[in-house]
Amino acid sequence: MNWGVLGGSILKNYVRHDFDIGEYSFDAMAIGADWGYNHATAILLLGIKDGDIYVCKEIYEHEKRQQEIIDIAETARLPRHLFMWCDSATPEAIEQWRYAGYRARPVEKERDSIQSQIRWLQDRQIHIHPSCKYTYAEIQQWQWMKDRKTDAFEDVPQEGMDDAMAALRYGIEGWRKRRRYNTK
């Protein structure tokens, strides 16, 4: 239960439970990455099976340089062979990940892409592994912005504590845009 949240939650279609995170358990897998320093850098290992999304593993770090996060990813055995959909605002970070052997590529940010990604996610069940505590915390509090005059919710996410949610949105881009799962 989300105590203190009266409305405006962006995603309500999620469940937190234990599941096998092995690659063979899914139709396909991908990685989503949102860069930060003071804000967290959030990297999610995602799976898709029968149209449902699975958040299998997370890296969530503050005040770390890219190389430090790459080292953490290597220790966590983040797969290099999967497509890694990244925040396009920092091309130099994407290049560092490519140099480290990852299949990092920028997400194209078109007009209304955030709303399109959210609608796509709302149409699926989202399963969150218990080890992904930051993703679970963020998804519970991720809300629509309120219009100050009318007190009505707008179709714009409230900013702040949304780094894992950005990584989730980026990570599904290959599936959302291609409408198929074969992205390995």
Side-chain angles (χ1 to χ4, degrees):
M1 176 167 261
N2 299 336
W3 294 102
V5 177
L6 297 174
S9 295
I10 295 174
L11 296 173
K12 300 173 187 173
N13 53 324
Y14 60 88
V15 60
R16 184 181 190 194
H17 64 96
D18 195 18
F19 54 86
D20 186 348
I21 63 170
E23 194 169 343
Y24 54 84
S25 300
F26 304 101
D27 298 328
M29 294 188 86
I31 301 166
D34 183 49
W35 314 126
Y37 186 81
N38 293 320
H39 270 268
T41 290
I43 300 172
L44 301 181
L45 176 61
L46 304 172
I48 189 167
K49 182 169 180 71
D50 300 329
D52 285 358
I53 302 300
Y54 291 79
V55 182
C56 301
K57 200 182 271 193
E58 72 180 4
I59 296 171
Y60 198 91
E61 296 289 337
H62 289 89
E63 298 181 354
K64 298 258 193 272
R65 295 179 341 269
Q66 284 300 324
Q67 188 55 56
E68 291 175 295
I69 296 168
I70 290 168
D71 293 344
I72 291 167
E74 289 174 359
T75 300
R77 295 186 169 167
L78 192 68
R80 285 190 163 112
H81 68 280
L82 299 175
F83 285 135
M84 181 178 191
W85 299 97
C86 308
D87 180 0
S88 60
T90 314
E92 59 274 9
I94 295 169
E95 285 305 313
Q96 279 186 270
W97 283 83
R98 283 184 182 162
Y99 184 77
Y102 291 87
R103 296 178 74 186
R105 54 190 37 164
V107 169
E108 293 178 34
K109 295 180 182 179
E110 304 104 10
R111 191 173 108 88
D112 296 329
S113 62
I114 294 173
Q115 287 78 11
S116 295
Q117 293 162 341
I118 290 170
R119 281 191 300 273
W120 194 89
L121 285 166
Q122 288 171 330
D123 287 341
R124 281 145 186 81
Q125 183 71 23
I126 301 168
H127 303 264
I128 303 170
H129 194 272
S131 65
C132 302
K133 63 183 183 181
Y134 295 103
T135 302
Y136 187 65
E138 282 192 19
I139 204 168
Q140 291 180 88
Q141 64 79 43
W142 198 35
Q143 300 215 345
W144 297 112
M145 193 176 298
K146 263 191 173 181
D147 183 291
R148 292 183 182 179
K149 292 180 183 175
T150 66
D151 215 28
F153 291 106
E154 300 177 4
D155 281 342
V156 177
Q158 202 170 19
E159 290 189 23
M161 198 175 155
D162 60 353
D163 306 299
M165 295 300 93
L168 176 61
R169 289 187 300 102
Y170 299 152
I172 55 111
E173 277 299 88
W175 304 324
R176 182 181 76 86
K177 286 189 172 180
R178 285 165 185 78
R179 294 182 171 80
R180 60 183 166 92
Y181 302 154
N182 186 14
T183 58
K184 291 182 186 177

